[in-house]
């Protein structure tokens, strides 16, 4: 996908333009519910590292949002609008071998990390999954990092900080990282969005130190609060989106 930014966006935060939290919209729970499917490739012999998978999933959400098919009159644009007007649900499933090849045959975008591969698809109704994706497993995405993960402080990258108090499967954490990237995207100006897109949506996903979580979650940066459909309690703060452009406004 080209990194050229073609959106005509204003030099003010975009919340209110394409956010699910617009006042003129119906309540999110009353709107028709859609889900953004993501499929991570997990081959038995060479599964991706956990952090690589999390970062690739977060980038995949941003790549989908900026694809020309998801904007304006594009073929995915209405589905994306309907999805963003409701809860921004994301479900991560796993595939390997023939399952992965079938997933790649469907309309979508494959995003590559260091070794991870995540394919993101246009939103579908909750009960309207393509059969090739509906049969894929949600469980089994418990990935590990084979070695120490480099520190993100001082890198200048946007960092999506995971709550250290929550034990989330890799699949759940991938979805939550995607939520955080999307919340940060909504808060950025057009110029800030363009800069992030031109970088290839570089970002880091890290687990916050326990002593820092309270500061981060109360800082005014975007916080993901889970609806509680799976794994964790409703209202749990799962990720803080620490984008340098947003931090300067605190």
């Amino acid at each position: 996908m080209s990194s050229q930014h073609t959106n005509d966006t204003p030099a003010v935060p975009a919340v209110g333009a394409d956010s699910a939290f617009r006042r003129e919209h119906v309540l999110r729970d009353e709107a028709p519910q859609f889900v953004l499917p993501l499929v991570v490739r997990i081959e038995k012999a060479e599964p991706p590292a956990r952090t690589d998978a999390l970062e690739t999933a977060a980038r995949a959400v941003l790549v989908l949002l900026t694809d020309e098919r998801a904007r304006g009159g594009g073929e995915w644009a209405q589905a994306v609008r309907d999805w963003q007007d409701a809860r921004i649900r994301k479900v991560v499933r796993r595939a390997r071998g023939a399952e992965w090849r079938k997933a790649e045959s469907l309309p979508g975008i494959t995003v590559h990390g260091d070794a991870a591969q995540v394919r993101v698809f246009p939103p579908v109704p909750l009960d309207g999954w393509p059969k090739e994706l509906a049969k894929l497993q949600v469980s089994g995405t418990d990935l590990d990092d084979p070695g120490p993960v480099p520190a993100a402080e001082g890198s200048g990258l946007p960092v999506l900080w995971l709550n250290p108090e929550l034990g989330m499967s890799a699949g759940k954490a991938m979805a939550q990282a995607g939520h955080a990237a999307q919340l940060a995207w909504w808060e950025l100006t057009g110029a800030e969005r363009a800069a992030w897109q031109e970088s290839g949506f570089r970002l880091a996903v890290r687990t916050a130190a326990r002593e820092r979580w309270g500061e981060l979650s109360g800082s005014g940066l975007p916080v993901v609060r889970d609806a509680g459909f799976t794994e964790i309690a409703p209202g749990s703060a799962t990720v803080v989106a620490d984008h340098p452009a947003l931090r300067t406004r605190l």
Side-chain angles (χ1 to χ4, degrees):
M1 164 181 172
S2 170
S3 63
Q4 184 178 359
H5 185 82
T6 57
N7 242 359
D8 294 327
T9 47
V12 295
V15 165
D18 58 359
S19 160
F21 307 111
R22 286 182 278 182
R23 290 184 180 179
E24 66 268 24
H25 283 176
V26 296
L27 293 174
R28 290 182 294 142
D29 287 332
E30 294 180 4
Q33 298 296 308
F34 287 74
V35 62
L36 186 77
L38 297 109
V39 175
V40 56
R41 184 177 187 180
I42 303 181
E43 300 289 347
K44 278 188 175 180
E46 296 182 87
R50 179 183 174 97
T51 296
D52 188 16
L54 267 60
E55 292 174 349
T56 305
R59 290 175 47 239
V61 172
L62 298 170
V63 169
L64 183 282
L65 290 174
T66 54
D67 190 278
E68 62 183 9
R69 290 166 289 185
R71 305 197 310 268
E75 60 192 279
W76 301 344
Q78 187 60 56
V80 170
R81 285 193 291 269
D82 290 343
W83 167 61
Q84 292 192 119
D85 284 349
R87 289 191 175 272
I88 55 169
R89 298 188 186 191
K90 300 175 181 70
V91 171
V92 178
R93 299 183 181 231
R94 60 182 172 88
R96 65 172 181 261
E99 294 174 333
W100 175 256
R101 291 189 291 275
K102 287 180 181 178
E104 282 210 304
S105 71
L106 299 177
I109 308 166
T110 298
V111 177
H112 296 260
D114 291 336
Q117 296 180 54
V118 175
R119 189 162 180 84
V120 60
F121 302 87
V124 297
L126 284 178
D127 58 355
W129 284 69
K131 65 180 187 300
E132 294 88 350
L133 302 183
K135 65 179 65 173
L136 299 178
Q137 296 296 312
V138 177
S139 61
T141 52
D142 291 325
L143 304 171
D144 296 311
D145 285 309
V149 178
E153 290 87 348
S155 66
L157 294 177
V159 182
L160 309 178
W161 295 106
L162 302 174
N163 186 340
E165 303 292 337
L166 298 177
M168 293 186 283
S169 68
K172 179 72 171 181
M174 290 168 69
Q176 298 298 302
H179 293 335
Q182 188 168 1
L183 293 185
W185 180 256
W186 280 341
E187 295 281 357
L188 296 175
T189 67
E192 291 161 351
R193 286 181 171 191
W196 201 8
Q197 186 175 0
E198 287 164 6
S199 79
F201 295 119
R202 294 182 65 220
L203 55 82
V205 178
R206 298 290 186 270
T207 298
R210 292 181 185 275
E211 62 271 17
R212 283 203 65 206
W213 177 251
E215 171 197 341
L216 286 164
S217 59
S219 65
L221 292 166
V223 179
V224 178
R225 295 194 177 275
D226 192 63
F229 295 120
T230 60
E231 294 193 22
I232 56 179
S236 299
T238 58
V239 193
V240 171
D242 189 358
H243 192 291
L246 301 181
R247 182 164 283 280
T248 62
R249 299 178 196 155
L250 299 179

